[in-house]
Amino acid sequence: MESLIAKDRLEAIVKRTMNGGAELVELYKTGSAFFAPAVATIAMVEAILEDEKRLMPCAIQLQGEYGINGTFCGTIAKLGAAGAEQVYEVPVSAEEKAKIVAAASATAELVKVVS
């Protein structure tokens, strides 16, 4: 991502994303945990029903992107009438790719534990 966004700006985005839930809880005090998932779900459904071909961050079962197969991982997808019509592999540094692969591996292990 550093090829697309300055490193300091990317770090600020990551920090805000990691703390976003706590920020909402602090602002709303109670009943805030459902806002972000609800808004994201509505946006995804609209993109599919209205065939918007909208690029959105989604958890997608990867099929070779980032060298990952069969594990759900967050990336960018084009949503339209056929659902996730195209998955985009964003250019990332070797360090960023290693983090993505580690996250996908942890997800796969967790799925094994709970299934």
Side-chain angles (χ1 to χ4, degrees):
M1 287 295 256
E2 289 179 20
S3 63
L4 303 173
I5 301 172
K7 185 174 183 170
D8 60 336
R9 177 74 177 129
L10 182 59
E11 288 173 358
I13 291 169
V14 168
K15 183 177 179 181
R16 181 112 194 259
T17 301
M18 290 174 66
N19 298 319
E23 185 178 334
L24 283 174
V25 168
E26 186 176 323
L27 291 170
Y28 285 102
K29 305 299 180 205
T30 61
S32 62
F34 59 87
F35 285 136
V39 170
T41 301
I42 290 166
M44 290 174 161
V45 170
E46 286 176 344
I48 292 167
L49 292 177
E50 297 175 14
D51 196 21
E52 293 178 348
K53 311 293 187 205
R54 186 188 309 181
L55 297 181
M56 298 189 72
C58 301
I60 298 287
Q61 188 174 32
L62 298 182
Q63 303 299 326
E65 296 86 4
Y66 307 103
I68 300 165
N69 283 294
T71 300
F72 283 83
C73 194
T75 192
I76 305 297
K78 179 170 61 175
L79 300 183
E85 296 182 349
Q86 187 172 357
V87 177
Y88 293 89
E89 184 174 348
V90 179
V92 294
S93 69
E95 180 183 343
E96 292 166 327
K97 183 175 179 180
K99 289 178 181 179
I100 293 168
V101 170
S105 295
T107 298
E109 288 302 314
L110 184 58
V111 168
K112 287 179 189 175
V113 169
V114 297
S115 56

